[in-house]
Amino acid sequence: MTVGFATWHGAPDLTADDRLVVAPLASRGIAVVPFDWQGPTPAGLDAIVLRSCWNYHLAEAGFRAWLDQLEAAAIPVLNPVAVARWNLHKGYLRELADQGVRLPATAWVERASPETLAAVLHAHDLDHVVVKPAVSGTAYRTWRSSRAQAADDQAEFAALVADSGVLVQAFVPEVLLNGEVSLVYFRGAFSHAIRKRPCAGDFRVQSDFGGTREPISPSPRLLAQAEEVLAQVDGELLYARVDGIEVDGELVLMELEVLDPELYLSQDAAAPERFAAALAAAIAAR
């Protein structure tokens, strides 16, 4: 059996993390073929796993068209195309909030809106905020602002709104002390978790900006809340990563990553084996 791992030109031979699952899959008779989603799709694949298409936010229309092509070709895709399409735009967070999932207070600004940043903050009673595009990855064009800075930041805000829908979210200060937790699930079962901390002077937890990571054992309460988030997703998931900030013991959701997240397989020695078992079971179930 041959499975294609969809990646991008920045990791044509798989990310270091995803390479950890190649041997456990091979032991199950499953060969992995990496391919750039913007290039030709290999023939003869039994399934495609969306793994590291990490430039999709820079080529959204093309990525959507590619997903449509996969769907039309009836190739089994994990996670499913419908789930990937739903997760592509951060509007999914609004849907989760409507289902009772706790988010930072968020203002949703439509693309090409004439609203100023100052007006958005005033209308939604926000002060210190994080501004981000509705389609993005790895903190792309994500920055902090406040009522005091809004006028100075208006040009940057206007440029962002001209290109994209925008989220203006209350800044959660606990991220500076406790970082952000990522809880990883395979086929609905908890696998492992890490804590990501920003470097001094920054708020972004991604390693691209100097953030660090360490494995953790999450509390039963945190796991229960993450699973409440997952229960809102319509569709079977091979993998999911629930990212959030702990505030007074409660999970404040930042992202539900079910499109192509890094799974931090290197942070748990048994995680590659668990992922391989889940993938094999997902294929067998189709």
Side-chain angles (χ1 to χ4, degrees):
M1 185 172 292
T2 303
V3 174
F5 271 30
T7 182
W8 70 303
H9 63 79
D13 298 317
L14 299 178
T15 64
D17 208 52
D18 282 343
R19 284 197 291 271
L20 296 174
V21 81
V22 172
L25 285 172
S27 71
R28 291 171 168 79
I30 301 173
V32 174
V33 176
F35 69 99
D36 182 350
W37 74 268
Q38 290 178 298
T41 299
L45 297 178
D46 295 290
I48 289 174
V49 183
L50 301 177
R51 284 308 311 123
S52 54
C53 309
W54 291 346
N55 61 339
Y56 70 81
H57 58 289
L58 303 177
E60 181 187 352
F63 188 71
R64 289 185 181 277
W66 178 67
L67 290 177
D68 292 344
Q69 291 168 10
L70 295 183
E71 195 169 49
I75 301 173
V77 179
L78 304 165
N79 283 332
V81 167
V83 170
R85 202 181 277 127
W86 172 77
N87 201 225
L88 177 61
H89 187 287
K90 295 187 193 302
Y92 79 85
L93 289 168
R94 197 172 200 170
E95 295 180 29
L96 292 177
D98 288 343
Q99 298 300 318
V101 174
R102 185 179 177 186
L103 307 179
T106 304
W108 305 84
V109 183
E110 297 298 323
R111 181 178 182 180
S113 169
E115 287 186 285
T116 65
L117 178 58
V120 171
L121 299 184
H122 176 75
H124 294 271
D125 194 25
L126 296 169
D127 188 353
H128 294 278
V129 295
V130 174
V131 181
K132 63 182 72 172
V135 178
S136 68
T138 320
Y140 172 71
R141 297 181 78 177
T142 296
W143 41 280
R144 288 185 62 183
S145 189
S146 66
R147 291 197 186 193
Q149 293 174 239
D152 290 340
D153 291 339
Q154 177 55 33
E156 186 173 5
F157 180 73
L160 188 57
V161 172
D163 293 338
S164 169
V166 172
L167 284 70
V168 181
Q169 291 188 312
F171 176 66
V172 183
E174 284 81 358
V175 72
L176 300 179
L177 180 63
N178 300 321
E180 180 177 292
V181 295
S182 288
L183 299 98
V184 179
Y185 288 79
F186 300 139
R187 299 198 82 206
F190 173 70
S191 172
H192 57 286
I194 67 165
R195 187 179 304 278
K196 300 174 288 188
R197 299 182 189 272
C199 71
D202 207 330
F203 70 99
R204 296 166 296 186
V205 298
Q206 291 84 357
S207 58
D208 307 64
F209 305 104
T212 61
R213 58 187 66 165
E214 60 185 338
I216 62 168
S217 297
S219 68
R221 176 62 179 157
L222 204 62
L223 288 172
Q225 291 176 76
E227 285 152 24
E228 288 171 5
V229 173
L230 290 177
Q232 307 304 320
V233 181
D234 185 15
E236 293 186 9
L237 302 177
L238 168 61
Y239 55 75
R241 201 184 83 201
V242 181
D243 293 348
I245 300 171
E246 291 179 85
V247 178
D248 297 328
E250 299 292 312
L251 180 71
V252 177
L253 184 70
M254 301 306 294
E255 297 279 0
L256 170 59
E257 299 278 10
V258 291
L259 172 52
D260 61 350
E262 183 175 0
L263 297 172
Y264 306 121
L265 300 177
S266 64
Q267 298 295 310
D268 185 301
E273 184 70 29
R274 286 194 292 266
F275 183 52
L279 176 53
I283 293 172
R286 287 181 171 267

